[in-house]
């Protein structure tokens, strides 16, 4: 019996299922706790405590929040487009969740019995493209939610969200393309491997792309200083009319995006699961399990750095205005990233043969 | 500063103006102020202010109280600077009575007034920054305001609505050790103002959001009767403390900060500089505190001579005036309040023309209205 | 009874009239149309008739530099011959000089608006109209400002009760008309159940 189960577990389909479950559990935990971390950190920045009442250090706070959102009444305004209003939150939430599937979290874990890759779910060869297209899908949730609410404030929020995400998608893509050109591959694990073999993280040669990525990353997730779609002191936001778990989907969707983009950034620019100052690949031949685990930790720390950056920026900066935001997107970031793209392409073509 | 949208756009796309109801339950209207905006896209082409949600009939109410009983009512006008409101009313009654206030009482009044101005400006700074999205400044400002309010509590017995002065002087001398604590606070507070400025004044986003926004010219500002920092930011020298000196203000050496451009940024700078000047005044008052009586001799039942008096103080929002008519009895015949927020709010119409919704939020924050004072 | 005697006398300010340069200029220009008015608090005050009000205020702004309208305050004197009064508090930012212009009139009189001289007067006049019932002529938007549009009466008039027109009604019916329940338990229960409270 046991051997039957063991054999079954080695089949790719079941293995993938198990990995999906583990990934979802881990991702949800991380997303839930980043809300807590953000609130505690904001408290730290703002000389106050933050939520610390539910459980030790407030550790049960995210669960309490979740329960609260679930048991709240789900209201649908009379003037709304009922169907769109109901399905819109799903559009923001699930595409960003799918993105986690293409990430590779560490070097393969090699056991004597099999060559299972435990730290990647679907390391597809067009990973970067998939990620980009999925993040474009996220716009629909915001736009439809704002439009379907049948109210003016969400309408403005939806309009702002739509134009903002569209205009920042372009520089974001262009900055990622330079990375793809350097690595010669769309596969995320190949991009990391390229950085490992060159012993050079891409944020050093591609510093302009890196900065553009950092800015667009914040704008893509609609957070301060680019949180116009939900500028709570101006137009309250595209989710004004939402309540209960549908609001929760938007809320969680935003943090999913934050976590996902913080996890993508190290893979693209900081060498992913590479351990700094160590020749990973050589050591991996000798101690595969150890390097896998250490690499995973290194990846986690790098991601946390980016998430911390998000929160830090939120505590520091005021909010941009709508027209200023679009001006920055189209008149500053787009030309710079285009020129950057041509320069990188030229270097790649003529110097790095 | 031409923010008007080119008309050809309207001809190509058949655009339509929409009306947006902002308030009375909007987080950025600082109370129950309601603005009905006519919008072209996100640009404001019309503004209709609706006020009166907080009208409590304070002027009517005061007619049914004796002069002494009426004092605490006026704390409820601008509930963020109750001390200054009280000074205004008490000063008007004293002017009508013709009482000479002892020098020491005047000094204590000046110190409490300026502390209250600091508290009020700190609340303004925090909420204004929060409106524009800088969240942390609010908490820093509240932290310092807490210290100010503690000082006021130690001196006046209450934190927020401290029926501060009796007619004829002040109630108490400073408690033991208060002066040292106050000096210590002022010393620390100067550094804290630098901190706020570090976060905002040079911040690119802050400057982009505020410079050139909500412009009002010098002539318009005077004609629309604005007062306080809102007026001074348009380069008009009008501060009641210097222009119509009252209390002990002529004794002190301080400056009235003026702005040049009359936009949101200049109003912000004016208030920040005003805080520094307030600190200066308090320090001078603490240094030069005279000895003497705390209260002039005023008869227990106050019956001013028949007549009228108009007494103005520099409130934290602007020129706060009390017009009292006496008929020789123990109750005021009529009390009229010139409330700076009310008049400043009127100027919003001029300032908000062809601005964006986001500017509107910055603007309402920059004129620093308190709806208790607007609606009375 | 003393009140009634006082009421018959009417309200009149005590003190001495103060003559400043601006008052002097106005007297020179308008002669007997401008009357210096007594004030116990030593504030320069002049009194004009409502027909001359606009002209005088316009002169004061253009010629004597009173560019800042600080306040318009209204008051109601039912015991006086003319029942309503307005006080315009002017200030000169250049000269740091203040002046009060008083005008007295009756309820039905139309007062010329000064919102064309000082735009600031717009809301001040609306407030005077709303709370005191002063009617202004040619005002761009003479509507109620602090009270709802459908409010009846003008609360700052002296005859208006503090608690509003319904004051008596509210006070008398707030807890119902007080009555004692009978000692008999059954009939007391009956009264309570039927909601009778007589």
């Amino acid at each position: 019996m046991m051997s039957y189960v063991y054999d079954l577990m080695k089949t790719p389909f079941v293995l993938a299922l198990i990995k999906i479950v583990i990934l979802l559990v881990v991702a949800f935990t991380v997303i839930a706790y980043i809300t807590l971390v953000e609130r505690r950190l904001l408290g730290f920045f703002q000389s106050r405590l933050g939520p610390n009442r539910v459980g030790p250090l407030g550790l049960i706070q995210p669960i309490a929040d979740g329960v609260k959102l679930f048991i709240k009444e789900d209201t649908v305004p009379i003037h709304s487009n009922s169907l769109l209003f109901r399905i819109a939150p799903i559009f923001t939430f699930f595409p960003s969740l799918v993105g986690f599937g293409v990430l590779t979290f560490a070097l393969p874990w090699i056991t004597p019995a099999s060559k299972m890759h435990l730290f990647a779910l679907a390391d597809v060869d067009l990973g970067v493209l998939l990620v980009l297209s999925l993040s474009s899908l996220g716009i629909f949730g915001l736009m439809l939610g704002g439009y379907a609410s049948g109210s003016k404030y969400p309408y403005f929020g939806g309009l702002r969200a739509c134009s903002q995400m569209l205009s920042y998608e372009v520089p974001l893509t262009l900055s990622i393309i330079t990375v793809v050109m350097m690595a010669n591959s769309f596969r995320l694990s190949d991009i990391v491997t390229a950085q490992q073999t060159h012993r050079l993280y891409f944020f050093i040669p591609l510093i302009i792309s890196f900065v553009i990525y950092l800015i667009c990353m914040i704008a893509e997730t609609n957070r301060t200083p680019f949180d116009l779609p939900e500028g709570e002191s101006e137009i309250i936001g595209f989710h004004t009319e939402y309540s209960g778990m549908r609001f929760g989907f938007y809320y969680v969707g935003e943090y999913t995006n934050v976590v996902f983009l913080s996890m993508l950034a190290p893979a693209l620019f900081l060498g992913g699961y590479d351990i700094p100052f160590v020749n990973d690949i050589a050591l991996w031949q000798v101690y595969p399990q150890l390097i896998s685990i250490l690499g995973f930790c290194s990846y986690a720390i790098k991601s946390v750095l980016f998430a911390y950056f998000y929160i830090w920026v939120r505590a520091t900066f005021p909010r941009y205005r709508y027209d200023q935001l679009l001006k920055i997107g189209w008149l500053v970031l787009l030309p710079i990233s285009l020129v950057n793209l041509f320069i990188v392409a030229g270097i790649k073509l003529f110097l790095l043969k | 500063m031409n923010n008007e949208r080119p008309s050809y756009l309207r001809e190509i796309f058949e655009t339509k103006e929409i009306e947006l109801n902002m308030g009375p339950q909007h987080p950025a209207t600082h109370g129950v102020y309601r603005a009905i905006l006519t919008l072209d896209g996100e640009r404001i082409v019309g503004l209709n202010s609706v006020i009166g949600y907080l009208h409590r009939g304070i002027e009517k109410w005061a007619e049914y109280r004796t002069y002494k009983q009426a004092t605490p009512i006026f704390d409820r006008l601008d509930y963020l600077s109750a001390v200054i409101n009280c000074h205004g009313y008490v000063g008007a009654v004293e002017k009508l009575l013709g009482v000479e206030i002892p020098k020491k009482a005047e000094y204590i009044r000046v110190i409490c007034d300026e502390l209250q101005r600091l508290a009020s400006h700190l609340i303004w700074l925090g909420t204004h920054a929060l409106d524009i999205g800088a969240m942390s400044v609010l908490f820093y400002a509240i932290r310092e305001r807490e210290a100010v309010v503690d000082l006021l509590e130690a001196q006046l017995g209450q934190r927020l609505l401290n029926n501060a002065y009796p007619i004829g002087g002040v109630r108490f001398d400073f408690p033991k050790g208060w002066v040292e604590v106050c000096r210590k606070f002022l010393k620390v507070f100067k550094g804290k103002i630098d901190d706020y400025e570090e976060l905002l004044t040079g911040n690119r986003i802050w400057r982009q959001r505020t410079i050139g926004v909500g412009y009002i010219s010098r002539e318009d500002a005077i004609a629309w009767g604005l007062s306080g920092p809102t007026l001074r930011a348009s380069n008009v020298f009008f501060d009641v403390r210097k222009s119509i000196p009252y209390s002990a203000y002529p004794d002190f050496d301080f400056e009235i900060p003026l702005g040049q451009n009359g936009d949101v940024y200049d109003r912000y700078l004016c208030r920040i500089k005003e805080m520094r000047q307030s600190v200066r005044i308090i320090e001078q008052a603490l240094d030069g505190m005279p000895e003497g009586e705390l209260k002039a001799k005023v008869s227990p039942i106050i019956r001013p001579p028949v007549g009228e008096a108009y007494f103005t103080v520099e409130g934290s929002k602007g020129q706060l005036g009390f017009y009292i008519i006496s008929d020789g009895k123990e109750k005021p015949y009529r009390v009229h309040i010139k409330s700076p927020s009310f008049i400043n709010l009127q100027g919003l119409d001029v300032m908000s023309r062809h601005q964006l919704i986001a500017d509107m939020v910055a603007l309402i924050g920059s004129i620093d209205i308190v709806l208790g004072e607007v609606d009375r | 009874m003393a009140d009634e005697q006082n009421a018959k006398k009417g309200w009149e300010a005590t003190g001495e009239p103060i003559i400043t340069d601006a008052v002097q200029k106005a007297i020179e220009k308008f002669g007997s149309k401008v009357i210096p008015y007594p004030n116990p608090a030593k504030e320069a005050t002049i009194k004009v008739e409502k027909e001359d009000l606009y002209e005088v205020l316009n002169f004061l702004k253009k010629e004597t530099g009173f560019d800042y309208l600080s306040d318009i305050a209204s008051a109601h004197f039912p015991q006086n011959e003319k029942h309503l009064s307005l006080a315009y508090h002017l200030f000169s930012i250049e000269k740091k000089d203040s002046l009060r212009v008083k005008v007295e009139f009756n309820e039905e009189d139309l007062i010329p608006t000064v919102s064309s001289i000082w735009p600031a007067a717009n809301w001040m006049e609306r407030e005077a109209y709303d709370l005191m019932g002063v009617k202004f002529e040619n005002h761009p938007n003479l509507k109620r400002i602090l009270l709802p549009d459908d409010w009846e009466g003008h609360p700052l008039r002296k005859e208006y009760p503090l608690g509003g027109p319904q004051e008596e009604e509210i006070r008398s019916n707030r807890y119902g008309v007080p009555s004692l329940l009978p000692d008999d338990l059954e009939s007391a229960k009956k009264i309570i159940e039927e909601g009778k409270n007589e």
Side-chain angles (χ1 to χ4, degrees), chain B residues 52-346:
Chain B
Y53 292 94
L54 205 58
H55 181 62
R56 293 151 293 172
I58 283 180
E59 292 176 7
K60 180 81 177 171
W61 201 12
E63 291 172 13
Y64 289 76
R65 300 284 182 277
T66 64
Y67 283 94
K68 280 182 175 176
Q69 284 172 340
T71 324
I73 301 176
F74 299 106
D75 287 359
R76 274 82 180 162
L77 282 174
D78 174 359
Y79 36 79
L80 293 177
S81 53
V83 175
I84 304 181
N85 296 341
C86 191
H87 194 168
Y89 169 71
V90 166
V93 177
E94 283 157 1
K95 190 174 182 184
L96 205 50
L97 283 169
V99 199
E100 186 79 19
I101 309 300
K103 203 79 181 163
K104 175 156 188 174
E106 295 281 33
Y107 269 60
I108 295 177
R109 280 186 180 185
V110 165
I111 291 170
C112 293
D113 276 13
E114 293 304 316
L115 279 176
Q116 184 71 85
R117 195 185 311 283
L118 285 182
S120 174
H121 279 6
L122 281 171
I123 284 276
W124 159 80
L125 177 69
T127 49
H128 184 40
L130 183 69
D131 283 348
I132 300 188
M135 193 180 170
S136 300
V137 182
L138 174 70
F139 293 94
Y140 301 146
I142 293 274
R143 182 183 61 195
E144 266 73 72
R145 176 180 179 269
E146 199 63 21
V148 178
V149 171
D150 282 346
L151 282 172
L152 284 176
E153 185 190 9
Q155 162 63 9
L156 302 168
Q158 289 277 334
R159 291 168 70 79
L160 193 64
L161 301 172
N162 33 32
N163 180 15
Y165 312 127
I167 292 162
V170 293
R171 287 202 176 80
F172 316 107
D173 198 351
F174 292 124
K176 206 178 156 193
W178 192 91
V179 175
E180 287 71 46
V181 178
C182 186
R183 274 184 210 280
K184 217 164 134 189
F185 164 73
L186 293 177
K187 212 172 157 190
V188 176
F189 183 65
K190 280 182 208 158
K192 300 289 183 191
I193 301 178
D194 294 340
D195 286 355
Y196 309 144
E197 288 220 72
E198 209 165 295
L199 270 169
L200 298 176
T201 308
N203 188 323
R204 280 178 64 96
I205 302 177
W206 181 265
R207 289 169 69 97
Q208 284 188 22
R209 281 300 303 275
T210 53
I211 290 180
V213 170
Y215 166 75
I216 187 163
S217 69
R218 191 190 140 90
E219 290 72 31
D220 273 354
I222 296 174
W224 282 93
L226 308 184
S227 57
T230 320
L231 176 67
R232 292 195 284 275
S234 298
N235 200 8
V236 182
F237 186 91
F238 175 56
D239 186 309
V240 185
R241 292 174 292 179
K242 288 264 186 193
S243 299
I244 318 170
Y246 63 98
S247 196
Y249 281 110
D251 295 3
F252 306 120
D253 171 38
F254 63 100
E255 284 155 24
I256 304 300
L258 294 182
Q260 294 300 320
N261 306 319
D263 54 12
V264 174
Y265 185 68
D266 275 21
R267 276 167 229 150
Y268 155 79
L269 280 186
C270 265
R271 286 202 175 85
I272 290 277
K273 286 179 190 160
E274 230 178 82
M275 286 205 272
R276 293 186 195 279
Q277 296 303 323
S278 290
V279 172
R280 246 178 99 185
I281 295 172
I282 299 171
E283 279 178 341
Q284 288 175 43
L286 288 175
D287 287 338
M289 176 70 71
E291 288 303 313
E293 293 287 306
L294 286 176
K295 209 172 165 217
K297 285 213 162 35
V298 182
S299 89
I301 297 170
I302 291 161
R303 287 199 188 87
V306 182
E308 56 205 334
Y310 181 60
F311 182 74
T312 57
V313 290
E314 181 67 25
S316 53
K317 317 285 183 282
Q319 186 196 28
L320 174 69
F322 283 84
Y323 171 65
I324 296 181
I325 300 179
S326 152
D327 59 349
K329 297 199 191 112
E330 55 276 359
K331 291 176 182 174
Y333 187 79
R334 167 94 168 92
V335 181
H336 178 82
I337 301 149
K338 185 252 159 114
S339 71
S341 296
F342 179 70
I343 310 294
N344 286 352
L345 190 59
Q346 190 178 189

Side-chain angles (χ1 to χ4, degrees), chain A residues 136 139 143 160-171 220 330:
Chain A
S136 318
I139 300 173
M143 204 174 70
R160 283 180 175 191
C162 178
S163 50
Q164 171 178 340
M165 291 179 82
L166 276 179
S167 41
Y168 278 78
E169 195 96 308
V170 182
E220 270 292 296
W330 290 108

Side-chain angles (χ1 to χ4, degrees), chain A residues 277-296:
Chain A
F277 313 115
V278 174
N279 192 348
D280 280 50
I281 296 179
L283 274 174
W284 179 69
Q285 310 287 353
V286 191
Y287 315 105
Q289 284 93 345
L290 181 70
I291 293 300
S292 267
I293 297 260
L294 284 181
F296 183 77

Side-chain angles (χ1 to χ4, degrees), chain C residues 51-108:
Chain C
E51 289 79 18
D52 313 322
L53 178 73
Y54 187 86
E55 221 177 312
V56 172
L57 287 176
N58 206 8
F59 168 79
L60 286 172
K61 189 197 172 181
K62 301 269 154 61
E63 306 295 323
T64 54
F66 284 107
D67 47 359
Y68 187 79
L69 177 66
S70 183
D71 191 19
I72 298 177
S74 53
H76 187 210
F77 300 101
Q79 69 274 36
N80 278 14
E81 194 186 330
K82 290 181 172 173
H83 288 178
L84 291 170
S85 85
L86 280 180
Y88 294 77
H89 294 102
L90 312 181
F91 184 75
S92 162
I93 286 174
E94 286 293 308
K95 296 178 190 163
K96 300 187 172 43
D97 190 14
S98 323
L99 178 67
R100 176 188 297 124
V101 179
K102 271 181 83 82
V103 58
E104 289 179 358
F105 52 93
N106 270 321
E107 280 91 340
E108 63 276 10

Side-chain angles (χ1 to χ4, degrees), chain A residues 8-25 120-122:
Chain A
L8 192 68
M9 273 179 70
K10 279 195 286 191
T11 60
F13 178 71
V14 176
L15 191 67
L17 268 184
I18 292 168
K19 278 198 225 166
I20 285 174
V21 170
I22 293 172
L23 185 69
L24 277 181
V25 169
L121 177 61

Side-chain angles (χ1 to χ4, degrees), chain B residues 60 63-64 333-334, chain C residues 75-80 82-84 106-108 129-135 144 151-168:
Chain B
K60 180 81 177 171
E63 291 172 13
Y64 289 76
Y333 187 79
R334 167 94 168 92
Chain C
H76 187 210
F77 300 101
Q79 69 274 36
N80 278 14
K82 290 181 172 173
H83 288 178
L84 291 170
N106 270 321
E107 280 91 340
E108 63 276 10
Y129 165 75
D130 185 2
L131 301 178
M132 195 60 90
V134 183
K135 293 185 184 65
R144 287 192 180 273
W151 194 271
E152 281 174 17
H154 302 287
L156 285 182
R157 293 269 180 90
K158 284 287 171 187
E159 70 266 10
Y160 196 93
L162 180 63
Q166 314 88 341
E167 185 180 10
E168 283 306 311

